[in-house]
Every structure is written in structure tokens, then in C-alpha cells.
């Protein structure tokens, strides 16, 4: 007979007072966590609706005294957000596509094709996770400069391919796919690429969604590397442009630009949150 331990026993929950205390504490904890996460977002969104004097006032106001939605239109025009948002979309989409293709192919090879010295290769790839990212900035920059890729989206796309974490995440998921399924497809005459395209990838949609989110967010929020490789202001992504142009605009306009810049990633998460959670929690594959 198996027993499970719970924080509150069923006997306590059966009592009216115990149930009331439990739900009161639970509701209070949830509200506190929600407030801690959502209040900064509320503060940023409403800050762009205030006047410059009200934003800098001490103590601050929780609700704008005068609603000024013009801050968002000023940010859109003065900071040239359409140009920089499009630059970011191009860079993030290219990095996502390159990473999805090459990381998936490498993970499939290491997981199912079992190449010679595959364990050594995987160990070397994982060892790069122990190297501080700052230590790789100068070698990457010199390599990109020697190849003549400065001010070129390839300077973002190619380094993004070497993502050891996403490769390992894909490999671990591929390892859990039953070998019997792949062998059945091979007996029907499917080649290695056909097995990957028709069997492995459809079964791996949850983890591919997680890797996609990681790839897009990494490029969208990166600042140091785009700052180094894009000296042309017209080709800079939104993360760099916000800093470069912040000296010549009002604080409310800058806050509004930050809100606009964060909308695509928030919308992406809200649309694909079910797939993201499914990919993170995917621990096994049933054949």
C-alpha cells in the first residue's frame, strides 16, 4: 500500500476552518508572487504614459495623473523603432533557422548514428559550457572581422549555431525516442534523412519549440555582441539602438521604446506557452 505525503493532510482540509486557512494562505502566496512579477511590467507600461516631471518625482505616483499616450508614438518615430525592430527580426530569425538546422542535425547524428568518437565529441562540446562567454568575445570578433562579416547578419547567425546547451537538449530528447520506431521505418526502406524528417522531427515538436524560444530570446536580448559587430547605426538591433539613442530623448520616450521592444517576446511566449511547457516537461516518449 503506497502513501503520499502532502503539505496539508486531508483530515485538516476536511474541516471548514482548516480549508479556509489553507485557501487563504494559498491565495496570498499566489498574489504576492504575481505582484512581484507583474508590478515591474505595470510600472514600465504606466511610466511611459506619464509626463517627464511625473516620472522623476519623489515619491513616485502609482497611477499617472495625466495620461499621455503620445510617448509611444514619439518613441516609434524618434527612435526609428520600425527599422531596428526589423533588423532584430532578421537577425533573430536567421539565428533561429541556422541553429535549428545544424543543432538538430548534430544532435541526431550523436544520438542515433553513433559516429566514431561521438562520446569524445559530445564531451568537447559540453566542455565549452564551462568557458565564460566573455572569454570568447575577442576570438569571435577577430574571426568575424577576418571573414569580412562586420555589419552583416551572418556575424549574428554563424556564432549562434555553436550552442552547446540547445544541442545537448535536443540530443537528450532524441535519446528517449524508442529505437524500435526508427528500425521499423528503416525496414520499410526509409533512409537516415527520411527517418529524421518523417519520424524524429514530428515526435520532437515540443523540444524544438523550447529550443526555438531559447534561440530567439538569446538574440533578441543580446547587447554586447551586436554592439561590437554592428557599427552602422541603420543595421543595429533594438537592444543596441535603445542605448545608442537614449541620450537624445526624454525618459518617458525611452521607457515607451522599451515597452514596444518587449512586446514581441511577450506575445511569442503567450502564443506558444503550451508548447514551451510541454517541451520542458517532456521526460519520456511512449511508443
Amino acid at each position: 500500500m503506497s502513501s503520499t505525503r502532502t503539505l496539508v493532510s486531508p483530515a485538516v482540509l476536511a474541516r471548514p476552518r482548516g480549508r479556509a486557512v489553507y485557501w487563504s494562505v494559498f491565495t496570498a502566496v499566489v498574489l504576492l508572487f504575481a505582484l512581484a512579477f507583474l508590478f515591474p511590467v505595470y510600472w514600465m507600461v504606466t511610466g511611459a504614459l506619464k509626463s517627464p516631471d511625473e516620472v522623476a518625482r519623489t515619491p513616485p505616483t502609482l497611477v499617472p495623473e495625466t495620461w499621455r499616450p503620445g510617448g509611444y508614438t514619439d518613441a516609434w518615430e524618434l527612435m526609428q523603432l520600425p527599422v531596428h525592430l526589423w533588423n532584430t527580426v532578421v537577425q533573430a530569425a536567421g539565428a533561429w533557422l541556422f541553429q535549428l538546422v545544424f543543432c538538430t542535425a548534430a544532435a541526431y547524428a550523436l544520438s542515433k548514428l553513433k559516429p566514431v568518437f561521438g562520446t569524445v565529441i559530445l564531451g568537447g562540446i559540453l566542455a565549452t559550457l564551462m568557458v565564460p562567454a566573455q572569454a570568447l568575445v575577442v576570438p569571435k570578433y577577430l574571426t568575424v572581422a577576418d571573414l569580412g562579416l562586420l555589419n552583416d547578419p551572418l556575424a549574428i547567425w554563424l556564432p549562434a549555431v555553436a550552442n552547446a546547451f540547445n544541442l545537448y537538449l535536443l540530443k537528450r530528447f532524441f535519446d528517449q525516442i524508442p529505437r524500435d520506431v526508427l528500425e521499423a521505418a528503416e525496414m520499410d526502406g526509409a533512409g537516415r534523412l527520411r527517418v529524421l524528417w518523417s519520424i524524429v522531427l514530428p515526435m520532437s515538436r515540443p523540444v524544438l519549440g523550447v529550443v526555438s524560444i531559447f534561440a530567439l530570446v538569446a538574440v533578441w536580448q543580446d547587447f554586447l555582441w551586436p554592439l561590437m559587430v554592428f557599427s552602422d547605426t541603420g543595421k543595429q538591433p533594438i537592444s543596441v539602438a535603445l542605448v545608442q539613442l537614449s541620450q537624445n530623448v526624454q525618459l518617458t520616450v525611452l521607457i515607451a521604446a522599451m515597452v514596444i521592444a518587449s512586446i514581441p517576446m511577450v506575445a511569442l511566449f503567450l502564443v506558444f506557452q503550451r508548447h514551451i511547457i510541454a517541451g520542458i516537461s517532456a521526460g519520456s516518449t511512449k511508443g
Side-chain angles (χ1 to χ4, degrees):
M1 182 177 180
S2 61
S3 60
T4 58
R5 295 183 177 180
T6 58
L7 186 62
V8 181
S9 66
V12 174
L13 289 177
R15 304 170 189 165
R17 182 178 179 183
R19 187 164 53 250
V21 172
Y22 171 79
W23 283 110
S24 298
V25 173
F26 177 79
T27 303
V29 171
V30 171
L31 289 177
L32 285 175
F33 273 94
L35 182 63
F37 283 100
L38 296 179
F39 183 76
V41 178
Y42 166 80
W43 190 261
M44 183 171 63
V45 172
T46 57
L49 298 172
K50 300 177 181 178
S51 64
D53 294 335
E54 187 179 356
V55 170
R57 184 184 304 173
T58 303
T61 55
L62 291 177
V63 180
E65 295 178 349
T66 304
W67 297 82
R68 297 167 52 92
Y72 288 97
T73 57
D74 291 342
W76 187 261
E77 297 172 358
L78 296 178
M79 304 192 73
Q80 301 177 348
L81 292 187
V83 174
H84 299 295
L85 283 172
W86 175 248
N87 293 340
T88 310
V89 168
V90 171
Q91 294 167 21
W96 163 77
L97 182 61
F98 271 73
Q99 195 170 140
L100 209 61
V101 171
F102 289 102
C103 285
T104 300
Y108 176 68
L110 292 172
S111 175
K112 298 303 180 184
L113 303 186
K114 304 298 183 182
V116 180
F117 303 117
T119 304
V120 177
I121 295 172
L122 179 61
I125 293 173
L126 295 179
T128 60
L129 293 174
M130 303 298 106
V131 181
Q134 295 79 1
L136 301 175
V137 170
V138 174
K140 283 199 304 181
Y141 179 82
L142 295 177
T143 302
V144 168
D146 291 340
L147 294 175
L149 298 179
L150 296 179
N151 291 312
D152 193 305
L154 285 171
I156 301 294
W157 299 347
L158 296 182
V161 174
N163 192 308
F165 177 79
N166 284 346
L167 189 151
Y168 182 70
L169 192 65
L170 288 165
K171 181 188 178 300
R172 290 292 298 170
F173 191 91
F174 293 164
D175 288 342
Q176 297 168 3
I177 297 178
R179 183 64 189 174
D180 296 342
V181 177
L182 306 184
E183 290 177 351
E186 292 173 356
M187 291 178 63
D188 291 338
R192 299 291 176 82
L193 289 178
R194 182 59 183 271
V195 170
L196 172 63
W197 182 259
S198 301
I199 305 297
V200 175
L201 292 184
M203 297 178 68
S204 305
R205 277 181 290 185
V207 73
L208 291 176
V210 174
V211 169
S212 299
I213 294 296
F214 286 166
L216 292 172
V217 171
V219 176
W220 199 275
Q221 67 181 9
D222 194 12
F223 171 74
L224 178 60
W225 182 245
L227 177 64
M228 295 179 64
V229 298
F230 286 106
S231 58
D232 187 350
T233 306
K235 296 182 178 180
Q236 290 176 343
I238 190 69
S239 59
V240 178
L242 288 178
V243 177
Q244 299 283 46
L245 301 176
S246 62
Q247 306 296 327
N248 303 319
V249 297
Q250 295 178 340
L251 181 58
T252 53
V253 175
L254 178 60
I255 296 175
M258 292 178 179
V259 174
I260 296 174
S262 63
I263 289 176
M265 288 296 100
V266 174
L268 187 68
F269 174 79
L270 293 178
V271 172
F272 295 103
Q273 61 176 329
R274 181 170 59 88
H275 301 283
I276 297 170
I277 296 173
I280 293 175
S281 60
S284 62
T285 304
K286 296 182 180 180

